[in-house]
Amino acid sequence: MKNIKHSWAEPYKIKMVELLKMTSPSQRKKAMKEAGFNTFLLKSEDVYIDLLTDSGTSAMSDRQWAGMMMGDEAYAGSRNFYHLEEVVKDVYGYKYLIPTHQGRGAENILSKILIKKGDIIPGNMYFTTTRLHQELAGGKFEDIIIDEAHDSENEFSFKGNVDIEKLEKLIKKHGASKIPYVSIATSVNMAGGQPISIKNLKEVRAVTKKHGIRIIHDMTRVAENAFFIQQKEKGFSNKSIKSIVKEICSYTDGATMSAKKDALVNIGGFLAVNDWDVFEEARNMVVVYEGLHTYGGLAGRDMEAMAIGIGESVSDEHIKARVGQVIYLGEKMIEYGVPIVKPIGGHGIFVDAKKFLPHIPQDLFPAQTLASEIYLDSGVRTMERGVVSAGRKANGDNYYPKLELVRFTIPRRVYTQAHMDVIAESAASVYERRNKIKGLKMVYEPKYLRFFQARFEQL
Ligand code: F0G
């Protein structure tokens, strides 16, 4: 009986279901055209399986819903704030908490406090909103992720790692006084949900400590990163996800969090820091941009759901099933020959559009094209993470990222294994007719974060 495989399975059962609308090919064609071939502009009603994002799309547990009923909707000093503060301290170890309406609210406040005009912010690959807030505050982002991260076929286990040499060179070139902090993301989103190792993080800590530079942690998907450390890094296989998460946070000085991902809520985020001075300024500034420092743009019930969600997110059983489902989908795509980013990341499958549609040049938006074709095929909604998402530089030129990807992001605790089969089959059938697919032309481009609202026409 040695050959029996022991599968992961969900550590929950389903109590309520949401019915979905099934669409015909002609309905989808009409919907896609009206949406300007941008999956962000589709009505969610017209979508069968929604893989646009894992952000705010999780299913909350019965306990979280019960927590919503315990909302203390006070303008100041809500009980739920103090619960959240206690959980953040216990699970992540950060001293001071500022709730915000979501991750970018925290990024805005933090960037305004720490960044001066002309500063440099090194980071392990950019994220769209994070970089934009750094730039709006007068800083310049510099990518210090290892080269392997830009190669979709390199199977290194920790493609979220920092290239220490790149970091040291930047410090030498600009001087530590020009670098307010190093921006470290766990589970690097734009690289395909790739983790950073504890070993590498400790090295980054050693270098930054020597120069008196802070590390600010984008901890949006820290538990998923901890899972890969537990599975793949030497010395961590017997450690719990909870202890690994806390260890990761301990090497950093503060964090911005979009709780809409790992923390299993539909809205919410926070800024957490260890430094009293930064906290004091943030507490002052949050009043201007988000709301009083004990609610930061959230209802009491939202903070309660977040506090409970954080606890659930660091359970070993939860994270094993969560990432297990993503890996199931990725392996299925690999079986069909669909080119995806390897190793399989934590929050979704990233299809390599340059390899999928090698006949479409980056100027004609291969990933945008592929996302629209997947929707037309099956009603599965995915997202472009390539030249459209990368936007333009300060001088107006396009960024041309090496990675031109379509992200199939898996919401937490929402879809079943049969849904995963349908998704892989759809990617495979579009792959079969890939040679007939032509690119897109951009006909409308907003100034900021253009991927959200840009419109396209088929060539
Ligand atoms: N940092 C990372 C790594 C993210 O993935 C996101 C959001 C944010 C910060 C901003 O947080 O949306 O709460 O304001 N990512 C979403 C996504 C939008 O689909 O990947 P937010």
Side-chain angles (χ1 to χ4, degrees):
M1 286 301 180
K2 271 195 199 125
N3 294 329
I4 295 177
K5 185 179 159 198
H6 292 281
S7 295
W8 57 272
E10 291 80 358
Y12 53 82
K13 59 182 178 176
I14 296 165
K15 198 185 301 244
M16 187 190 277
V17 296
E18 179 179 341
L19 300 182
L20 299 172
K21 182 169 118 185
M22 310 297 280
T23 50
S24 66
S26 67
Q27 282 172 319
R28 291 196 291 275
K29 208 169 164 179
K30 184 166 171 278
M32 193 78 264
K33 211 169 163 196
E34 278 171 13
F37 295 87
N38 185 344
T39 51
F40 276 101
L41 300 178
L42 284 167
K43 291 186 182 139
S44 112
E45 212 185 39
D46 294 329
V47 172
Y48 172 40
I49 302 175
D50 202 347
L51 308 184
L52 187 69
T53 176
D54 61 330
S55 182
T57 54
S58 299
M60 292 206 294
S61 67
D62 51 354
R63 289 171 209 202
Q64 286 177 287
W65 279 106
M68 296 282 281
M69 295 306 291
M70 306 285 279
D72 172 11
E73 306 308 338
Y75 190 89
S78 162
R79 170 177 68 224
N80 313 116
F81 166 76
Y82 295 107
H83 183 201
L84 179 63
E85 189 181 48
E86 185 190 303
V87 169
V88 167
K89 227 181 260 176
D90 170 49
V91 176
Y92 303 129
Y94 295 118
K95 279 194 206 155
Y96 307 115
L97 171 75
I98 300 278
T100 57
H101 78 285
Q102 57 183 74
R104 70 198 70 179
E107 291 168 355
N108 174 39
I109 293 170
L110 182 91
S111 303
K112 283 199 161 80
I113 293 173
L114 293 182
I115 300 172
K116 298 183 307 296
K117 199 170 179 322
D119 278 352
I120 303 291
I121 302 95
N124 57 345
M125 204 173 264
Y126 85 101
F127 182 71
T128 53
T129 57
T130 321
R131 184 177 67 194
L132 185 57
H133 279 300
Q134 291 163 355
E135 287 173 354
L136 290 172
K140 183 168 183 278
F141 173 84
E142 290 277 2
D143 192 3
I144 51 164
I145 204 164
I146 54 172
D147 289 339
E148 287 88 334
H150 294 280
D151 173 1
S152 71
E153 287 202 337
N154 190 302
E155 303 221 17
F156 180 55
S157 297
F158 293 100
K159 281 161 86 173
N161 279 359
V162 166
D163 184 327
I164 300 293
E165 211 173 292
K166 283 186 196 168
L167 172 61
E168 281 177 328
K169 263 194 196 149
L170 271 183
I171 298 173
K172 200 162 175 200
K173 183 170 165 200
H174 300 281
S177 65
K178 281 263 174 243
I179 302 178
Y181 61 92
V182 175
S183 178
I184 294 294
T186 34
S187 266
V188 181
N189 192 354
M190 302 303 271
Q194 303 295 324
I196 178 170
S197 70
I198 291 269
K199 180 170 176 278
N200 183 254
L201 187 54
K202 278 178 160 171
E203 286 164 11
V204 178
R205 176 76 292 180
V207 173
T208 51
K209 202 168 181 182
K210 197 166 76 192
H211 295 278
I213 298 171
R214 287 189 180 87
I215 297 178
I216 297 296
H217 177 197
D218 181 342
M219 64 181 303
T220 297
R221 297 180 182 84
V222 65
E224 288 163 8
N225 195 117
F227 179 73
F228 287 113
I229 289 173
Q230 187 190 54
Q231 298 299 307
K232 296 181 175 174
E233 187 162 356
K234 223 173 107 198
F236 288 89
S237 61
N238 292 323
K239 296 210 168 148
S240 67
I241 293 298
K242 193 171 174 187
S243 71
I244 299 171
V245 163
K246 199 154 185 181
E247 182 171 349
I248 292 172
C249 296
S250 76
Y251 301 123
T252 69
D253 302 292
T256 54
M257 170 64 147
S258 170
K260 300 170 72 173
K261 285 80 167 175
D262 247 13
L264 300 163
V265 287
N266 303 121
I267 192 71
F270 59 76
L271 170 65
V273 292
N274 290 334
D275 215 314
W276 173 262
D277 296 346
V278 179
F279 169 66
E280 216 190 350
E281 229 177 305
R283 189 172 56 173
N284 197 228
M285 203 172 274
V286 73
V287 186
V288 182
Y289 293 101
E290 304 278 316
L292 195 72
H293 63 282
T294 57
Y295 77 85
L298 296 169
R301 55 178 171 267
D302 299 328
M303 292 188 281
E304 191 58 31
M306 198 197 304
I308 298 168
I310 288 170
E312 293 177 1
S313 77
V314 293
S315 125
D316 282 59
E317 292 73 33
H318 160 74
I319 206 75
K320 185 175 167 200
R322 189 295 186 269
V323 182
Q325 187 179 46
V326 175
I327 291 173
Y328 175 86
L329 173 61
E331 284 177 348
K332 201 120 212 177
M333 289 214 190
I334 293 171
E335 260 172 52
Y336 283 125
V338 175
I340 68 169
V341 173
K342 291 181 211 154
I344 295 165
H347 65 303
I349 300 306
F350 291 68
V351 172
D352 187 334
K354 279 187 185 169
K355 293 214 171 70
F356 198 113
L357 299 170
H359 55 286
I360 300 184
Q362 216 169 1
D363 278 324
L364 301 182
F365 313 111
Q368 190 77 29
T369 305
L370 181 53
S372 70
E373 291 292 333
I374 296 280
Y375 173 76
L376 291 170
D377 180 71
S378 58
V380 171
R381 168 155 72 168
T382 58
M383 181 197 290
E384 193 262 10
R385 291 275 89 151
V387 65
V388 184
S389 292
R392 291 183 189 275
K393 301 177 192 170
N395 69 6
D397 292 348
N398 274 319
Y399 283 108
Y400 286 100
K402 275 201 195 122
L403 295 177
E404 177 76 19
L405 308 174
V406 176
R407 189 179 73 171
F408 292 61
T409 343
I410 313 299
R412 296 165 188 80
R413 310 194 288 205
V414 171
Y415 293 112
T416 66
Q417 191 152 319
H419 286 122
M420 297 303 120
D421 292 340
V422 169
I423 297 159
E425 287 157 16
S426 175
S429 49
V430 175
Y431 192 57
E432 243 173 46
R433 59 173 175 80
R434 62 190 180 277
N435 294 331
K436 297 206 183 84
I437 297 172
K438 298 193 177 85
L440 294 169
K441 159 171 107 183
M442 201 190 295
V443 293
Y444 167 68
E445 179 176 355
K447 188 166 165 209
Y448 296 121
L449 303 176
R450 65 182 180 181
F451 56 95
F452 285 129
Q453 286 146 353
R455 300 185 69 87
F456 301 84
E457 277 169 13
Q458 270 180 321
L459 290 177

